[in-house]
Amino acid sequence: MDLQLSGRVAVVTGASKGIGLAVARTLAEEGAHVVAASRTAPDAPDLKVTHVAVDLMDPQAPERVVARAVEEFGGVDILVNNAGGPPPGTTLPRVGFMTPDDADWRAMFEFNLFALVRTVRAAVPVMLERGGGAIVNVSSTMSRQPSALNVDYGAAKAAVTALGKSLSEEYGPRGIRVNTVSPGPVLTDWWTKDGGAAEVIAGMAGSDKDSVISQVAPEMMRLTTGRLVHPQEIADAVALLVSPRSGSTTGAEFVVDGGQLKEM
């Protein structure tokens, strides 16, 4: 299926690895001009994108990224706000409301919400000049699944999901579609790295990292598929949502979670 993305200009944040890298690669393969924003270059030497080295915790970073897209390709048609998760230097999961202090809460919202807000603020005027565009914000099932784990992260992602609805109402009539993709647990560096989520959970469960990834986590999260989600499965959903083929889809939340959320 032709997604009609050839020649369109896409900005993807958090594009160095995991979901962001899969999204950047997929959009590039579909013919889009991709501007990849991340602190480090994408871990893919063959990937044909324009990388902008930025720390999105810097309030000025989003403007620099959008300005680079305008300089290189004349504008922005697509924005994928993927950057998020644990702020630099933070290890998740962490248990309990009392665990994160004020500084932890501020960092979590700065990285997961305010960086996204600033990136949208920078991109929207450029999109409007081109007659519209498509924005996808990457949230999380934790925005809708209350838990004593990662309370601050869940709250920040709930705000991301709510923001997407508001943006779609304001800018949909002006040609900018805004949708949300909410992944469940995705097999990324967050889980697999040394000291990552799998090792933290292994310490809690008296298990080992490989068993957590293959069995403990899927069972704990009641994943119908019995496995963690692959980054490409998120990227495929994002690519469809930013495509003109989804021209009547706005204000929607697409959950890609292996069957984690059971509620109606």
Side-chain angles (χ1 to χ4, degrees), residues 175-188:
I176 300 177
R177 296 184 300 106
V178 185
N179 293 290
T180 301
V181 171
S182 292
V186 182
L187 191 59
T188 64

mmCIF file with all atom_site columns, all heavy atoms in Angstrom, residues 175-188:
data_model
loop_
_atom_site.group_PDB
_atom_site.id
_atom_site.type_symbol
_atom_site.label_atom_id
_atom_site.label_alt_id
_atom_site.label_comp_id
_atom_site.label_asym_id
_atom_site.label_entity_id
_atom_site.label_seq_id
_atom_site.pdbx_PDB_ins_code
_atom_site.Cartn_x
_atom_site.Cartn_y
_atom_site.Cartn_z
_atom_site.occupancy
_atom_site.B_iso_or_equiv
_atom_site.pdbx_formal_charge
_atom_site.auth_seq_id
_atom_site.auth_comp_id
_atom_site.auth_asym_id
_atom_site.auth_atom_id
_atom_site.pdbx_PDB_model_num
ATOM 1  N N   . GLY A 1 175 ? -6.563 21.994 9.167  1.00 0.00 ? 175 GLY A N   1
ATOM 2  C CA  . GLY A 1 175 ? -5.802 21.074 8.327  1.00 0.00 ? 175 GLY A CA  1
ATOM 3  C C   . GLY A 1 175 ? -4.725 20.271 9.023  1.00 0.00 ? 175 GLY A C   1
ATOM 4  O O   . GLY A 1 175 ? -3.989 19.531 8.360  1.00 0.00 ? 175 GLY A O   1
ATOM 5  N N   . ILE A 1 176 ? -4.603 20.391 10.339 1.00 0.00 ? 176 ILE A N   1
ATOM 6  C CA  . ILE A 1 176 ? -3.598 19.607 11.061 1.00 0.00 ? 176 ILE A CA  1
ATOM 7  C C   . ILE A 1 176 ? -4.295 18.513 11.854 1.00 0.00 ? 176 ILE A C   1
ATOM 8  O O   . ILE A 1 176 ? -5.065 18.795 12.783 1.00 0.00 ? 176 ILE A O   1
ATOM 9  C CB  . ILE A 1 176 ? -2.756 20.488 12.009 1.00 0.00 ? 176 ILE A CB  1
ATOM 10 C CG1 . ILE A 1 176 ? -2.020 21.572 11.226 1.00 0.00 ? 176 ILE A CG1 1
ATOM 11 C CG2 . ILE A 1 176 ? -1.755 19.626 12.788 1.00 0.00 ? 176 ILE A CG2 1
ATOM 12 C CD1 . ILE A 1 176 ? -1.224 22.526 12.105 1.00 0.00 ? 176 ILE A CD1 1
ATOM 13 N N   . ARG A 1 177 ? -4.032 17.281 11.485 1.00 0.00 ? 177 ARG A N   1
ATOM 14 C CA  . ARG A 1 177 ? -4.583 16.148 12.218 1.00 0.00 ? 177 ARG A CA  1
ATOM 15 C C   . ARG A 1 177 ? -3.638 15.798 13.370 1.00 0.00 ? 177 ARG A C   1
ATOM 16 O O   . ARG A 1 177 ? -2.419 15.762 13.189 1.00 0.00 ? 177 ARG A O   1
ATOM 17 C CB  . ARG A 1 177 ? -4.751 14.932 11.312 1.00 0.00 ? 177 ARG A CB  1
ATOM 18 C CG  . ARG A 1 177 ? -5.753 15.145 10.188 1.00 0.00 ? 177 ARG A CG  1
ATOM 19 C CD  . ARG A 1 177 ? -5.970 13.899 9.359  1.00 0.00 ? 177 ARG A CD  1
ATOM 20 N NE  . ARG A 1 177 ? -4.733 13.426 8.721  1.00 0.00 ? 177 ARG A NE  1
ATOM 21 C CZ  . ARG A 1 177 ? -4.041 12.370 9.103  1.00 0.00 ? 177 ARG A CZ  1
ATOM 22 N NH1 . ARG A 1 177 ? -4.427 11.643 10.152 1.00 0.00 ? 177 ARG A NH1 1
ATOM 23 N NH2 . ARG A 1 177 ? -2.942 12.012 8.454  1.00 0.00 ? 177 ARG A NH2 1
ATOM 24 N N   . VAL A 1 178 ? -4.194 15.500 14.539 1.00 0.00 ? 178 VAL A N   1
ATOM 25 C CA  . VAL A 1 178 ? -3.392 15.137 15.711 1.00 0.00 ? 178 VAL A CA  1
ATOM 26 C C   . VAL A 1 178 ? -3.945 13.848 16.304 1.00 0.00 ? 178 VAL A C   1
ATOM 27 O O   . VAL A 1 178 ? -5.125 13.771 16.661 1.00 0.00 ? 178 VAL A O   1
ATOM 28 C CB  . VAL A 1 178 ? -3.416 16.246 16.780 1.00 0.00 ? 178 VAL A CB  1
ATOM 29 C CG1 . VAL A 1 178 ? -2.475 15.881 17.930 1.00 0.00 ? 178 VAL A CG1 1
ATOM 30 C CG2 . VAL A 1 178 ? -3.020 17.597 16.191 1.00 0.00 ? 178 VAL A CG2 1
ATOM 31 N N   . ASN A 1 179 ? -3.093 12.846 16.378 1.00 0.00 ? 179 ASN A N   1
ATOM 32 C CA  . ASN A 1 179 ? -3.475 11.554 16.940 1.00 0.00 ? 179 ASN A CA  1
ATOM 33 C C   . ASN A 1 179 ? -2.433 11.083 17.943 1.00 0.00 ? 179 ASN A C   1
ATOM 34 O O   . ASN A 1 179 ? -1.317 11.623 18.006 1.00 0.00 ? 179 ASN A O   1
ATOM 35 C CB  . ASN A 1 179 ? -3.638 10.514 15.819 1.00 0.00 ? 179 ASN A CB  1
ATOM 36 C CG  . ASN A 1 179 ? -4.813 10.827 14.914 1.00 0.00 ? 179 ASN A CG  1
ATOM 37 O OD1 . ASN A 1 179 ? -5.967 10.717 15.313 1.00 0.00 ? 179 ASN A OD1 1
ATOM 38 N ND2 . ASN A 1 179 ? -4.529 11.235 13.682 1.00 0.00 ? 179 ASN A ND2 1
ATOM 39 N N   . THR A 1 180 ? -2.810 10.087 18.709 1.00 0.00 ? 180 THR A N   1
ATOM 40 C CA  . THR A 1 180 ? -1.943 9.543  19.754 1.00 0.00 ? 180 THR A CA  1
ATOM 41 C C   . THR A 1 180 ? -1.769 8.047  19.539 1.00 0.00 ? 180 THR A C   1
ATOM 42 O O   . THR A 1 180 ? -2.739 7.342  19.227 1.00 0.00 ? 180 THR A O   1
ATOM 43 C CB  . THR A 1 180 ? -2.562 9.783  21.146 1.00 0.00 ? 180 THR A CB  1
ATOM 44 O OG1 . THR A 1 180 ? -2.740 11.178 21.347 1.00 0.00 ? 180 THR A OG1 1
ATOM 45 C CG2 . THR A 1 180 ? -1.672 9.231  22.248 1.00 0.00 ? 180 THR A CG2 1
ATOM 46 N N   . VAL A 1 181 ? -0.541 7.568  19.698 1.00 0.00 ? 181 VAL A N   1
ATOM 47 C CA  . VAL A 1 181 ? -0.273 6.137  19.737 1.00 0.00 ? 181 VAL A CA  1
ATOM 48 C C   . VAL A 1 181 ? 0.190  5.795  21.146 1.00 0.00 ? 181 VAL A C   1
ATOM 49 O O   . VAL A 1 181 ? 1.119  6.418  21.671 1.00 0.00 ? 181 VAL A O   1
ATOM 50 C CB  . VAL A 1 181 ? 0.794  5.724  18.707 1.00 0.00 ? 181 VAL A CB  1
ATOM 51 C CG1 . VAL A 1 181 ? 1.204  4.268  18.915 1.00 0.00 ? 181 VAL A CG1 1
ATOM 52 C CG2 . VAL A 1 181 ? 0.268  5.919  17.291 1.00 0.00 ? 181 VAL A CG2 1
ATOM 53 N N   . SER A 1 182 ? -0.474 4.828  21.756 1.00 0.00 ? 182 SER A N   1
ATOM 54 C CA  . SER A 1 182 ? -0.144 4.425  23.127 1.00 0.00 ? 182 SER A CA  1
ATOM 55 C C   . SER A 1 182 ? 0.414  3.001  23.120 1.00 0.00 ? 182 SER A C   1
ATOM 56 O O   . SER A 1 182 ? -0.349 2.034  23.061 1.00 0.00 ? 182 SER A O   1
ATOM 57 C CB  . SER A 1 182 ? -1.376 4.511  24.027 1.00 0.00 ? 182 SER A CB  1
ATOM 58 O OG  . SER A 1 182 ? -1.770 5.847  24.207 1.00 0.00 ? 182 SER A OG  1
ATOM 59 N N   . PRO A 1 183 ? 1.726  2.871  23.169 1.00 0.00 ? 183 PRO A N   1
ATOM 60 C CA  . PRO A 1 183 ? 2.311  1.534  23.220 1.00 0.00 ? 183 PRO A CA  1
ATOM 61 C C   . PRO A 1 183 ? 2.159  0.911  24.606 1.00 0.00 ? 183 PRO A C   1
ATOM 62 O O   . PRO A 1 183 ? 2.113  1.607  25.629 1.00 0.00 ? 183 PRO A O   1
ATOM 63 C CB  . PRO A 1 183 ? 3.797  1.773  22.907 1.00 0.00 ? 183 PRO A CB  1
ATOM 64 C CG  . PRO A 1 183 ? 3.871  3.180  22.389 1.00 0.00 ? 183 PRO A CG  1
ATOM 65 C CD  . PRO A 1 183 ? 2.741  3.908  23.041 1.00 0.00 ? 183 PRO A CD  1
ATOM 66 N N   . GLY A 1 184 ? 2.110  -0.401 24.611 1.00 0.00 ? 184 GLY A N   1
ATOM 67 C CA  . GLY A 1 184 ? 2.318  -1.141 25.845 1.00 0.00 ? 184 GLY A CA  1
ATOM 68 C C   . GLY A 1 184 ? 3.813  -1.319 26.042 1.00 0.00 ? 184 GLY A C   1
ATOM 69 O O   . GLY A 1 184 ? 4.616  -0.509 25.569 1.00 0.00 ? 184 GLY A O   1
ATOM 70 N N   . PRO A 1 185 ? 4.236  -2.380 26.724 1.00 0.00 ? 185 PRO A N   1
ATOM 71 C CA  . PRO A 1 185 ? 5.672  -2.608 26.912 1.00 0.00 ? 185 PRO A CA  1
ATOM 72 C C   . PRO A 1 185 ? 6.335  -2.989 25.587 1.00 0.00 ? 185 PRO A C   1
ATOM 73 O O   . PRO A 1 185 ? 5.907  -3.926 24.925 1.00 0.00 ? 185 PRO A O   1
ATOM 74 C CB  . PRO A 1 185 ? 5.719  -3.775 27.909 1.00 0.00 ? 185 PRO A CB  1
ATOM 75 C CG  . PRO A 1 185 ? 4.413  -4.488 27.723 1.00 0.00 ? 185 PRO A CG  1
ATOM 76 C CD  . PRO A 1 185 ? 3.415  -3.422 27.383 1.00 0.00 ? 185 PRO A CD  1
ATOM 77 N N   . VAL A 1 186 ? 7.336  -2.213 25.195 1.00 0.00 ? 186 VAL A N   1
ATOM 78 C CA  . VAL A 1 186 ? 7.992  -2.398 23.901 1.00 0.00 ? 186 VAL A CA  1
ATOM 79 C C   . VAL A 1 186 ? 9.427  -2.854 24.130 1.00 0.00 ? 186 VAL A C   1
ATOM 80 O O   . VAL A 1 186 ? 10.124 -2.339 25.017 1.00 0.00 ? 186 VAL A O   1
ATOM 81 C CB  . VAL A 1 186 ? 7.973  -1.096 23.087 1.00 0.00 ? 186 VAL A CB  1
ATOM 82 C CG1 . VAL A 1 186 ? 8.622  -1.302 21.723 1.00 0.00 ? 186 VAL A CG1 1
ATOM 83 C CG2 . VAL A 1 186 ? 6.540  -0.604 22.909 1.00 0.00 ? 186 VAL A CG2 1
ATOM 84 N N   . LEU A 1 187 ? 9.869  -3.811 23.346 1.00 0.00 ? 187 LEU A N   1
ATOM 85 C CA  . LEU A 1 187 ? 11.202 -4.391 23.494 1.00 0.00 ? 187 LEU A CA  1
ATOM 86 C C   . LEU A 1 187 ? 12.250 -3.409 22.996 1.00 0.00 ? 187 LEU A C   1
ATOM 87 O O   . LEU A 1 187 ? 12.715 -3.478 21.856 1.00 0.00 ? 187 LEU A O   1
ATOM 88 C CB  . LEU A 1 187 ? 11.288 -5.704 22.720 1.00 0.00 ? 187 LEU A CB  1
ATOM 89 C CG  . LEU A 1 187 ? 12.532 -6.565 22.976 1.00 0.00 ? 187 LEU A CG  1
ATOM 90 C CD1 . LEU A 1 187 ? 12.662 -6.945 24.449 1.00 0.00 ? 187 LEU A CD1 1
ATOM 91 C CD2 . LEU A 1 187 ? 12.492 -7.814 22.106 1.00 0.00 ? 187 LEU A CD2 1
ATOM 92 N N   . THR A 1 188 ? 12.604 -2.478 23.857 1.00 0.00 ? 188 THR A N   1
ATOM 93 C CA  . THR A 1 188 ? 13.588 -1.456 23.537 1.00 0.00 ? 188 THR A CA  1
ATOM 94 C C   . THR A 1 188 ? 14.687 -1.467 24.589 1.00 0.00 ? 188 THR A C   1
ATOM 95 O O   . THR A 1 188 ? 14.674 -2.236 25.549 1.00 0.00 ? 188 THR A O   1
ATOM 96 C CB  . THR A 1 188 ? 12.942 -0.058 23.515 1.00 0.00 ? 188 THR A CB  1
ATOM 97 O OG1 . THR A 1 188 ? 12.465 0.252  24.835 1.00 0.00 ? 188 THR A OG1 1
ATOM 98 C CG2 . THR A 1 188 ? 11.788 -0.001 22.524 1.00 0.00 ? 188 THR A CG2 1
#
